[in-house]
Amino acid sequence: MLHGAGLGLRRSLLGPLQDWRAAREPDADDTGAIDFFEVAPENWINVGGRLGKTLRSFTERHAFVCHGLSLSLGGPAPLDETLLHKIRRLLDEHGVAIYSEHLSYCSDDGHLYDLLPIPYTQAAVAYVAKRIRRAQDILGRRIAIENVSCYATPGRELSEADFTRAVLEAADCELLLDVNNVYVNSVNHGYDAKAFIAAMPPERVAYLHIAGHYDEAPGLIVDSHAAPVIDPVWNLLDHTYAHCGVKPTLLERDFHIPPLAELLAELDHIRAIQQPRLGQTHEHRRRA
């Protein structure tokens, strides 16, 4: 079962993480811990040899989630069922229970190398929900869909919050709630980030993402995953815990990756925010 603070497993981190794991084995202290890892399945399908054995050495000893990059749930091309079958084999082989994907599209007769927003319309709700249900049937699991950062909302009939909630209900799937993406979109599109969080159904939240971003210009933020998390996003994470309870939280860092010690310090920051909320939850349950 997932809990605590997790880290995206990038290949450049494999060496430092192996050293970290070897040094930690006799230590039961939570400080500097990594409670779970996340990988993109597309990067590990059919990978064998030394890298495959290294991945196995991690999945045998740590909790994992898989976060897809290229299923293109909102795309016009037919759903890639071959990819879904490959992903299911990877999930089954490594005992990974949770698979997430972006509520977006990234292909149109070929991959576009970007995550593009699905139009916030009722027709799009029905279209993408049908594809999610089909994907869930093939995977044998519910998908956690992620709210994405976006820079334009063409053809909008619904708010982003209403669209996301409608897809969750129509597809009967779970939510990967990306707190940084909420913050980025709230600045870029001028909405209340806390109101968006409040609109999300807590019972569907499987886990959370948090990350850093880049200030491109006044009122324009780029979701870069290339910088430390800033204080307003930490504050929004605490607000999210107040709304939906303490959920497993994954730190994303894809570019300008710092020394592992800096990433571990951010994971400790996540747990420092979680801990008081966990105490409140336990006290509420005790009184009940």
Side-chain angles (χ1 to χ4, degrees):
M1 183 175 180
L2 288 188
H3 73 281
L7 182 66
L9 181 63
R10 306 295 179 253
R11 290 189 184 182
S12 64
L13 287 172
L14 286 175
L17 284 169
Q18 287 173 309
D19 294 340
W20 160 83
R21 189 173 64 182
R24 279 189 54 83
E25 284 181 349
D27 182 11
D29 187 357
D30 283 343
T31 303
I34 302 173
D35 297 310
F36 66 99
F37 289 99
E38 180 188 79
V39 292
E42 292 91 339
N43 293 336
W44 293 95
I45 289 170
N46 297 329
V47 173
R50 179 180 57 82
L51 276 175
K53 290 179 181 178
T54 300
L55 177 63
R56 173 72 65 184
S57 75
F58 276 90
T59 60
E60 286 177 343
R61 301 171 63 181
H62 302 277
F64 265 75
V65 297
C66 279
H67 184 47
L69 300 172
S70 55
L71 192 53
S72 198
L73 287 168
L79 196 63
D80 190 342
E81 297 193 1
T82 299
L83 174 61
L84 282 166
H85 284 290
K86 291 179 179 178
I87 290 172
R88 178 166 186 169
R89 284 196 296 272
L90 183 75
L91 298 175
D92 291 345
E93 287 170 2
H94 291 276
V96 179
I98 297 178
Y99 169 72
S100 59
E101 246 292 1
H102 302 84
L103 185 56
S104 64
Y105 73 99
C106 59
S107 63
D108 182 8
D109 195 27
H111 283 279
L112 303 175
Y113 302 102
D114 206 349
L115 298 172
L116 302 174
I118 303 169
Y120 301 153
T121 67
Q122 292 289 357
V125 169
Y127 177 78
V128 73
K130 181 179 179 180
R131 288 161 69 89
I132 292 171
R133 289 195 301 268
R134 176 58 181 160
Q136 292 181 147
D137 287 344
I138 294 172
L139 292 170
R141 303 164 168 77
R142 295 171 87 187
I143 293 176
I145 58 167
E146 179 188 1
N147 58 295
V148 299
S149 55
C150 64
Y151 307 96
T153 56
R156 183 177 65 179
E157 298 173 357
L158 305 168
S159 70
E160 181 190 356
D162 287 344
F163 176 76
T164 303
R165 191 171 55 243
V167 171
L168 292 170
E169 293 172 358
D172 190 21
C173 63
E174 296 183 330
L175 174 65
L176 163 52
L177 180 52
D178 191 309
V179 176
N180 183 62
N181 287 353
V182 174
Y183 180 80
V184 167
N185 287 353
S186 73
V187 172
N188 291 344
H189 300 291
Y191 66 64
D192 185 338
K194 291 183 177 179
F196 182 97
I197 296 294
M200 296 299 101
E203 69 278 5
R204 291 196 182 270
V205 179
Y207 69 111
L208 308 176
H209 272 178
I210 193 166
H213 54 255
Y214 174 69
D215 292 326
E216 177 71 28
L220 176 59
I221 294 176
V222 176
D223 179 33
S224 65
H225 299 177
V229 180
I230 65 170
D231 285 343
V233 177
W234 288 126
N235 294 337
L236 188 59
L237 177 65
D238 184 53
H239 178 80
T240 302
Y241 292 151
H243 170 64
C244 65
V246 174
K247 301 290 185 177
T249 303
L250 189 286
L251 174 68
E252 293 186 290
R253 192 64 178 265
D254 296 321
F255 305 101
H256 301 156
I257 297 176
L260 182 59
E262 294 184 27
L263 299 175
L264 295 178
E266 287 197 282
L267 296 187
D268 285 341
H269 196 146
I270 291 172
R271 276 186 289 270
I273 297 172
Q274 290 175 337
Q275 197 58 46
R277 296 291 182 186
L278 286 170
Q280 292 171 11
T281 300
H282 293 159
E283 178 64 16
H284 175 77
R285 288 174 178 170
R286 187 183 66 80
R287 290 178 179 178

